[in-house]
Amino acid sequence: MSIYDTLNGQQKEAVLHTEGPLLILAGAGSGKTRVLTHRIAYLIDEMGVNPWNILAITFTNKAAKEMRERVDNLVGFGSESVWVSTFHSSCARILRRHIPLLGYDSNFTIYDTDDQKSLMKDVCKLLQIDTKMYKERTLLGAIAHAKEELVGPQEFRLRAEGDFVRQKIAEVYEEYEKQLRANNALDFDDLLVKTVQLFQTQADVLENYQERFRYIMVDEYQDTNTVQFELVRLLSSRYRNLCVVGDDDQSIYKFRGANIKNILNFEEFFEDAKVIKLEQNYRSTGNILNAANAVIRNNYGRKEKTLWTANGDGEKLELRQLDSAYDEAEYIIDDIRNRVDKGEGTYDHHAILYRTNAQSRLFEEKFVTANIPYRIVGGINFYARREIKDVLSYLKTVDNGKDDLAVRRIVNVPKRGIGLTSINRVQEYALQKEIGFYEALQAVDLIPGIGRGASKLESFVALIEHFKADAREMSVSDLMQEILDETGYVESLKSEGDEEAEARIENIDELMSKIVAYEESCEEMNEPATLGGFLEEVALVADIDSLDESNDHVVLMTLHSAKGLEFPHVYLAGMEDGIFPSYMTIISEDAEDLEEERRLCYVGITRAEKELTLTCARRRMVRGETQFNRMSRFLKEIPVELVSTGNVFEKEKKEDIPKKNAYMQAKQVFQTKVYAAQKPVKQFGTPAGGKLSYEVGDRVSHMKFGEGTVTAIVEGGRDYEVTVDFDSAGTKKMFAAFAKLKKV
């Protein structure tokens, strides 16, 4: 029997349709990776396509690794020539070869989030930007959004005419780009933007890759943004053999720039496209899928599809409403422990999913008390830790001396008597001469007023040059060991003599393990293990890629982090209006915001394989205030016959739940006439006299949306409806009492 006979009808149709644009609408758990890998095998084995003419792109390293392994197992000989990688890895690989055409050196550094923040601090300091008025995070967000839409600094400035705030952002954007280029560095968005620029300006390079990649497949297409769409469009425009796989119902990354229109309007972009729906689910039970279908059916902006399974109905969904968030956490932890004690599964069969990271604290405390192993996904990234950033900065400096951030970080780490005054003088000299920081260090004897610091700085330069010479001969692991030995970094940590220092040394040991694993991986693939290659791999690692599924611990994560994962038993916690969906979504005038929250709920439900427990609390402490929230509207969209309420939840008690959360109170106040008698409501946005502390045209800040400009205020009884044009979140309408806007 052929391997293609193991596919269901729709899967087989998708595999055999090889020519022209193809959209595969793959519902959750419908075997899309299986389809993609079998399609690659079919192209090579049956259609005679060369493996190196195939490009398969996905979003995470974890997904790319899984696809790589499956392709290798299915195709066998020649499979290593198929490009299977993430968008960012593919672009980094292309740019390493061709970026000199854009004026960069090929050994450019890739800046992570922390590097970007450090650079933005330098930019704000240089431009004398008031970071209380213009937060670094807001500025970086605006720049990232511009890059995702392929809007460069000059075009951004033109669009900002007449808008003082956006003109200021344009000024920052230009300097930020100037500093990146001076440091021979790219941020994550640049990897995509510069590759598109390369293809747009270098016709021969584009033609080369169009010939190379005659068959292109893109996974998780619903998560693509504008620059990713343009990249794929350029690469596929010659042969048009573009296959995209995705699920519009799982588009949950709008905040990262994902454009759901890319998948919804695919047939408009590619008029002759064929559309195939994969609706049979192999992961979950019937009751779980029926609940997911019922919830997502309430969205209008979607392509119609209905998941079904041959797995049987399975258990009903468990719904539990507890008195407080503490009770909710206690109930879930007790339920997990009881299941494990009864032999109904191990700890790693259970996952707790929630809307916001802040919800994890109570669960953590309860797990510690109960002595149950757990793991949070999305905490402090391993590579963001101080000691790891230090050691990587040494490696980056050896690889790319133009990376000012890396050089400045380690010039006095471990402490070698180089003071801040000396560092500032070097920085001033570098700015004056328009050269890099390391280049200025190499000419330290020419820097006026450097004094006794010169000899120490010269010793540092000599040390780095020594490492650079050794890097040409040594392996990456040997080089790192030499850096640790000669700088005395580990010894300096030991001298701190506390438990934290011990943990830091263990982290450095783990980094060495990572380097060795990288070298072994390169050896297996018959590729050179280079310092630049290792730094690139580290820069492209995401939090979710570090999830070790082999350990027996309960997994805690946000719903956004859970996408692509599956667990036998899932707990969806905090299912309350105001928590999920969030208050900001509820009061938003953009219907798309609520639809995205509903898609997030759909993703959460479909993570469950066998059992799903939904929990909510009557009262919950949020930002130091007790809130009384109704059950989530998403729960009400699930048919009652699919749900078991057990002994903890009693339907008649629903009437006892306080009806007025903060938002509902604010809404009632807004609609009430001034002379209507009612109990006073706490007015967060107004002073005691009832007047707002801001007016139209004022700059205000919001705890979620950041800073913006007030564009309209409408009086409505004892409250005001305020319209604010936020710098990064767009225009929002909200009640003053609820929004807690502060004038800046």
Side-chain angles (χ1 to χ4, degrees):
M1 183 176 73
S2 166
I3 59 170
Y4 309 108
D5 292 335
T6 62
L7 304 169
N8 67 39
Q10 288 69 38
Q11 289 176 333
K12 191 170 184 179
E13 184 183 6
V15 166
L16 301 186
H17 186 89
T18 59
E19 307 304 304
L22 171 64
L23 168 61
I24 303 175
L25 287 172
S30 61
K32 64 182 177 65
T33 306
R34 179 178 171 81
V35 169
L36 283 174
T37 51
H38 278 71
R39 196 170 187 272
I40 292 171
Y42 184 80
L43 285 169
I44 297 171
D45 295 339
E46 306 297 329
M47 300 294 292
V49 176
N50 293 318
W52 54 86
N53 289 143
I54 300 172
L55 170 65
I57 305 178
T58 187
F59 273 80
T60 67
N61 293 315
K62 183 175 183 291
K65 183 181 178 184
E66 180 187 351
M67 192 182 296
R68 170 90 267 167
E69 289 171 353
R70 290 207 204 179
V71 169
D72 290 345
N73 292 335
L74 206 57
V75 176
F77 181 75
S79 66
E80 68 280 356
S81 298
V82 179
W83 264 36
V84 181
S85 66
T86 64
F87 270 103
H88 291 94
S89 294
S90 297
C91 290
R93 191 169 171 182
I94 292 169
L95 290 174
R96 286 292 177 204
R97 183 175 177 185
H98 301 287
I99 203 169
L101 294 170
L102 298 179
Y104 289 80
D105 292 342
S106 58
N107 64 334
F108 59 84
T109 298
I110 301 171
Y111 276 2
D112 62 16
T113 305
D114 284 344
D115 295 329
Q116 288 178 265
K117 288 177 183 174
S118 299
L119 182 60
M120 183 55 72
K121 283 180 182 176
D122 292 344
V123 169
C124 289
K125 186 177 179 181
L126 181 68
L127 298 179
Q128 296 182 319
I129 299 289
D130 184 355
T131 52
K132 290 182 180 178
M133 182 173 290
Y134 302 96
K135 303 289 186 188
E136 288 126 342
R137 185 177 173 185
T138 303
L139 294 170
L140 284 170
I143 292 171
H145 181 67
K147 289 185 178 184
E148 287 161 2
E149 296 298 319
L150 285 170
V151 176
Q154 288 72 34
E155 186 179 348
F156 191 96
R157 182 178 284 278
L158 289 174
R159 293 187 184 186
E161 282 187 6
D163 186 326
F164 176 79
V165 173
R166 294 191 69 77
Q167 284 181 329
K168 185 64 70 175
I169 296 173
E171 183 184 357
V172 172
Y173 189 2
E174 287 179 355
E175 184 60 33
Y176 176 78
E177 287 297 285
K178 180 182 173 184
Q179 295 285 345
L180 277 174
R181 184 176 282 269
N183 289 356
N184 194 36
L186 304 180
D187 62 23
F188 262 52
D189 296 306
D190 282 333
L191 292 174
L192 302 168
V193 171
K194 298 301 180 189
T195 305
V196 169
Q197 287 178 0
L198 181 72
F199 289 160
Q200 289 173 335
T201 59
Q202 309 294 326
D204 56 331
V205 176
L206 174 60
E207 185 178 343
N208 173 49
Y209 283 100
Q210 287 174 334
E211 286 294 329
R212 170 74 188 267
F213 302 127
R214 300 189 180 196
Y215 292 86
I216 299 172
M217 279 162 267
V218 183
D219 193 11
E220 304 287 4
Y221 189 68
Q222 77 280 347
D223 294 335
T224 55
N225 57 27
T226 301
V227 66
Q228 288 162 337
F229 168 80
E230 184 62 15
L231 178 71
V232 170
R233 188 193 68 79
L234 286 167
L235 278 173
S236 64
S237 59
R238 173 167 293 225
Y239 290 99
R240 305 188 76 253
N241 296 323
L242 172 64
C243 167
V244 301
V245 184
D247 181 6
D248 51 300
D249 289 334
Q250 296 186 70
S251 179
I252 58 173
Y253 294 123
K254 182 182 177 184
F255 68 98
R256 290 184 189 167
N259 187 353
I260 194 173
K261 291 180 181 177
N262 288 350
I263 192 168
L264 291 179
N265 300 339
F266 187 79
E267 298 100 309
E268 294 179 22
F269 299 129
F270 303 93
E271 293 180 2
D272 57 337
K274 183 173 180 61
V275 180
I276 297 173
K277 296 180 182 179
L278 305 182
E279 296 174 294
Q280 182 175 359
N281 176 285
Y282 293 90
R283 173 192 299 156
S284 306
T285 62
N287 284 332
I288 291 171
L289 295 181
N290 290 335
N293 288 330
V295 170
I296 201 63
R297 205 169 284 129
N298 291 277
N299 273 5
Y300 293 100
R302 65 184 293 262
K303 291 178 178 288
E304 183 58 39
K305 72 184 84 65
T306 302
L307 294 180
W308 64 276
T309 184
N311 293 342
D313 290 340
E315 300 291 330
K316 285 187 176 184
L317 282 64
E318 299 286 338
L319 174 59
R320 298 290 183 266
Q321 186 180 43
L322 291 306
D323 188 51
S324 70
Y326 289 93
D327 296 328
E328 178 189 47
E330 197 164 71
Y331 170 77
I332 290 177
I333 273 70
D334 286 346
D335 194 53
I336 292 173
R337 181 166 50 193
N338 291 337
R339 288 174 182 276
V340 173
D341 289 346
K342 291 177 184 176
E344 295 177 3
T346 52
Y347 288 124
D348 62 338
H349 286 174
H350 301 78
I352 303 173
L353 311 182
Y354 36 77
R355 181 64 184 83
T356 64
N357 275 310
Q359 289 170 255
S360 71
R361 183 183 63 83
L362 285 174
F363 293 111
E364 287 191 79
E365 290 175 0
K366 298 290 184 183
F367 275 126
V368 170
T369 304
N371 198 27
I372 292 176
Y374 70 94
R375 164 82 187 279
I376 290 187
V377 176
I380 297 177
N381 189 303
F382 175 79
Y383 296 103
R385 291 168 180 163
R386 187 193 87 189
E387 62 280 6
I388 302 303
K389 293 284 285 183
D390 287 345
V391 176
L392 287 177
S393 290
Y394 269 104
L395 294 174
K396 287 179 182 179
T397 301
V398 172
D399 186 55
N400 172 22
K402 292 183 179 179
D403 186 352
D404 285 2
L405 291 181
V407 180
R408 289 210 308 268
R409 182 181 183 95
I410 58 164
V411 69
N412 194 40
V413 175
K415 294 189 185 301
R416 45 177 65 95
I418 299 173
L420 192 58
T421 303
S422 297
I423 294 172
N424 287 340
R425 282 186 177 142
V426 175
Q427 182 65 31
E428 288 165 10
Y429 181 80
L431 289 171
Q432 181 188 346
K433 297 294 183 181
E434 295 186 341
I435 59 177
F437 187 84
Y438 188 72
E439 199 176 339
L441 285 177
Q442 290 176 304
V444 70
D445 55 321
L446 301 178
I447 300 175
I450 201 72
R452 290 179 296 176
S455 60
K456 294 169 184 173
L457 291 169
E458 285 172 347
S459 297
F460 172 73
V461 171
L463 184 67
I464 297 300
E465 292 300 315
H466 168 64
F467 291 149
K468 283 187 175 186
D470 286 345
R472 301 186 192 103
E473 310 293 333
M474 287 183 170
S475 66
V476 183
S477 53
D478 287 343
L479 175 64
M480 177 176 159
Q481 190 59 57
E482 181 174 358
I483 288 172
L484 294 175
D485 291 342
E486 299 210 13
T487 60
Y489 188 88
V490 173
E491 294 304 317
S492 71
L493 288 179
K494 286 179 179 176
S495 66
E496 294 177 14
D498 56 17
E499 286 183 23
E500 190 177 348
E502 223 171 280
R504 293 187 188 282
I505 294 170
E506 289 172 2
N507 288 336
I508 291 174
D509 292 340
E510 182 62 26
L511 180 63
M512 180 64 84
S513 300
K514 167 66 181 174
I515 293 176
V516 173
Y518 162 75
E519 291 173 336
E520 290 174 351
S521 174
C522 289
E523 189 177 345
E524 287 173 11
M525 298 175 69
N526 201 24
E527 292 180 357
T530 64
L531 176 56
F534 169 71
L535 292 171
E536 183 176 301
E537 182 172 302
V538 165
L540 296 171
V541 169
D543 282 350
I544 193 65
D545 295 322
S546 65
L547 173 59
D548 183 359
E549 296 170 343
S550 62
N551 291 337
D552 186 20
H553 46 226
V554 181
V555 175
L556 286 76
M557 66 176 80
T558 64
L559 286 153
H560 282 101
S561 297
K563 188 166 169 291
L565 302 176
E566 55 192 54
F567 302 90
H569 195 129
V570 168
Y571 297 85
L572 279 186
M575 296 294 291
E576 304 137 36
D577 268 7
I579 302 297
F580 187 36
S582 67
Y583 285 130
M584 295 304 111
T585 302
I586 293 171
I587 67 174
S588 171
E589 294 215 333
D590 187 352
E592 169 57 27
D593 289 345
L594 184 59
E595 294 217 344
E596 174 136 347
E597 288 281 289
R598 188 175 282 111
R599 291 195 291 269
L600 194 56
C601 182
Y602 173 85
V603 167
I605 292 172
T606 54
R607 296 313 93 197
E609 297 173 338
K610 296 178 180 178
E611 295 175 283
L612 175 64
T613 300
L614 306 151
T615 64
C616 54
R618 291 185 174 87
R619 56 188 170 88
R620 184 181 298 272
M621 186 77 75
V622 179
R623 290 183 294 276
E625 296 175 2
T626 299
Q627 290 184 357
F628 296 90
N629 299 322
R630 291 181 175 181
M631 292 171 63
S632 171
R633 61 195 62 199
F634 299 147
L635 292 178
K636 298 171 186 175
E637 293 170 356
I638 299 174
V640 292
E641 63 269 19
L642 300 179
V643 178
S644 167
T645 56
N647 299 320
V648 180
F649 176 86
E650 300 172 23
K651 286 193 175 180
E652 58 269 21
K653 284 189 179 179
K654 286 171 70 174
E655 299 304 316
D656 299 330
I657 303 171
K659 291 288 191 285
K660 294 177 185 176
N661 56 36
Y663 166 69
M664 294 303 293
Q665 290 185 44
K667 185 173 181 180
Q668 180 179 331
V669 169
F670 178 74
Q671 294 171 341
T672 304
K673 301 295 183 186
V674 177
Y675 49 77
Q678 69 171 53
K679 293 181 180 178
V681 176
K682 186 177 180 182
Q683 300 288 319
F684 295 107
T686 60
K691 293 292 183 183
L692 293 173
S693 59
Y694 48 83
E695 56 189 28
V696 174
D698 283 347
R699 295 283 295 169
V700 294
S701 67
H702 185 276
M703 66 179 69
K704 175 181 177 183
F705 297 137
E707 295 186 4
T709 303
V710 179
T711 58
I713 298 176
V714 179
E715 189 171 354
R718 293 184 55 198
D719 200 1
Y720 300 86
E721 182 183 71
V722 184
T723 303
V724 183
D725 183 11
F726 289 102
D727 299 341
S728 57
T731 301
K732 305 285 181 184
K733 287 187 179 181
M734 53 196 72
F735 301 123
F738 176 75
K740 306 181 187 178
L741 296 170
K742 293 181 180 178
K743 185 176 178 180
V744 296

